[in-house]
Amino acid sequence: MILATGLYRASHLSAGVVSVARHMPGAPAAWGILATAVAVSLTLYGTARAAGRFDRRWVWCDVLVTGCALPWAAWWALGGPAVSQSGWLMLLGGSASSAAAVGLGVRGAAASAVLLLATSLAVHLVVVGARSAELVGHLNAVLSSTVMAWVFWWYLRRQGALLDAAQSQAVTAEAARARQAERMAHHAALHDTVLATLTTIAAGRVDANAAPVRERCAREAAYLRRLVQQEDGAPRRRRDAVPGAAAVTAVGAALEAAVRSAECLGLRVAAQYHALPAVPREVAVALEAAVSEALNNVRSHAGTGEAFLTAVGDGDGNLTVTVVDRGAGFDPAAAGGSGGTGLRRSVHARIAAVGGLAGVESAPGEGTRVELRWPA
């Protein structure tokens, strides 16, 4: 509407330039009045374009100056013919009323229309005093400009609200689908792990007291606890934190895949999740790969056999994942500042590629802390 009403005003100003150049080229007052109208118009539409909305103060300035004051100034400086109802100066009342309809609301638009109509009637009675058909046409132009601009503005706002509602529904539906996909992944994992272990023990095919069986049961019990943590945190997630209507997925399944992969290789992982958001699928893939590499580094270099994973969302779609160990640690400066080739390629590079940030803190004998943030 800023563009539409601005083009409407530009057409009136163009008519003014042509009229002054043709009929009053040697009248400084005419050029001064035209320059005033141009300055007010540039200020009104320039500030509206910069702010994305009309400033009510400048809308009222436009109505009072270009629509009400300039016709009287032209009559005083140039005489009656300069403010004929069919002249360019009176046309400014129509474009002023259209901007008022958009920027001032219903009451403001009505008040500005009354002022502009009263000015037109007074100019006709006091200055021109003839050709009533021109007056009727001009009054109709002011009223129709007000009404049409307000109707268009109402229609655009209504369509925008409908579009926002449709977008919100699409995002909510996509988040629900991502949540359902995560549940299905958990169900499949439960079938392949916990249920298989219980079935084997119940059938008596293994010794329940054997160390390998107890170790496997401990890993799967930890997995169930993490699953419960994710379910407990789910109701507190904000649905509007999903980043757009693009394909999204719950990040918990990706992190859990990295944890279980490390556990299968003998690493003990104490993991905690809280309020995990849904993220784009490429982000979940990058986080899974980065966490897997961090856990592999713990298993290969820390010398403790245990890692601590924490993943926390802040409720606004931001996510922080940390992998910590209490092992041997290393000197980041001696390793090139980023922990070696594995951390550079599989952690820093992957997270940076999806708009995140990775950091590594370590010291010899003090363990290592890898922190992943998305978005950066």
Side-chain angles (χ1 to χ4, degrees):
M1 291 305 297
I2 293 171
L3 176 62
T5 55
L7 292 174
Y8 191 29
R9 170 57 59 83
S11 68
H12 293 168
L13 293 176
S14 298
V17 172
V18 173
S19 178
V20 172
R22 177 177 298 178
H23 302 294
M24 292 175 286
W31 290 108
I33 291 172
L34 179 60
T36 302
V38 170
V40 173
S41 300
L42 290 177
T43 303
L44 170 64
Y45 289 99
T47 55
R49 180 66 181 84
R53 61 179 179 82
F54 281 111
D55 187 319
R56 295 175 62 90
R57 295 169 299 178
W58 286 112
V59 175
W60 277 115
C61 179
D62 183 56
V63 169
L64 296 175
V65 174
T66 62
C68 298
L70 289 187
W72 294 109
W75 168 71
W76 179 78
L78 302 171
V83 288
S84 169
Q85 296 290 350
S86 59
W88 71 270
L89 192 57
M90 301 304 294
L91 294 177
L92 295 178
S95 52
S97 67
S98 65
V102 177
L104 300 180
V106 176
R107 293 182 179 179
S112 64
V114 169
L115 286 175
L116 293 168
L117 293 173
T119 299
S120 299
L121 182 60
V123 167
H124 175 75
L125 295 176
V126 176
V127 179
V128 181
R131 304 184 67 175
S132 298
E134 287 187 359
L135 173 63
V136 173
H138 179 70
L139 297 180
N140 178 68
V142 173
L143 283 175
S144 61
S145 296
T146 303
V147 173
M148 286 190 295
W150 186 87
V151 169
F152 291 157
W153 176 229
W154 169 83
Y155 177 77
L156 287 175
R157 285 187 299 171
R158 179 176 178 273
Q159 294 302 111
L162 293 175
L163 182 61
D164 287 344
Q167 178 80 353
S168 178
Q169 291 176 358
V171 169
T172 301
E174 187 67 26
R177 284 193 292 270
R179 186 64 183 163
Q180 180 63 23
E182 184 182 26
R183 290 195 186 98
M184 296 302 297
H186 286 315
H187 292 166
L190 287 172
H191 177 274
D192 296 338
T193 57
V194 178
L195 182 59
T197 300
L198 293 176
T199 301
T200 302
I201 294 175
R205 293 195 293 267
V206 296
D207 182 5
N209 292 319
V213 176
R214 292 200 305 271
E215 184 179 350
R216 176 167 179 170
C217 289
R219 289 200 306 267
E220 291 172 359
Y223 169 65
L224 288 175
R225 283 192 293 270
R226 294 193 296 268
L227 183 59
V228 171
Q229 287 176 357
Q230 294 183 61
E231 293 296 331
D232 288 344
R236 292 188 292 272
R237 296 174 191 162
R238 289 180 47 185
R239 291 180 175 178
D240 59 352
V242 180
V248 296
T249 185
V251 74
L255 296 177
E256 193 57 40
V259 170
R260 293 195 62 79
S261 176
E263 288 179 333
C264 289
L265 296 175
L267 182 67
R268 298 188 305 276
V269 181
Q272 290 188 337
Y273 309 118
H274 177 69
L276 299 183
V279 301
R281 289 196 178 107
E282 62 271 17
V283 175
V285 171
L287 286 169
E288 178 182 348
V291 170
S292 293
E293 179 60 27
L295 293 175
N296 285 337
N297 278 327
V298 175
R299 182 177 57 83
S300 301
H301 305 298
T304 64
E306 185 176 21
F308 303 88
L309 170 68
T310 303
V312 179
D314 66 356
D316 291 322
N318 302 308
L319 176 66
T320 301
V321 180
T322 58
V323 177
V324 179
D325 69 75
R326 298 170 181 167
F330 64 93
D331 184 359
S338 58
T341 302
L343 288 179
R344 282 197 302 270
R345 293 180 178 176
S346 296
V347 177
H348 291 274
R350 285 182 179 273
I351 296 301
V354 294
L357 180 66
V360 178
E361 298 177 2
S362 186
E366 299 295 332
T368 302
R369 181 177 185 271
V370 177
E371 181 176 277
L372 313 175
R373 291 184 177 273
W374 185 88

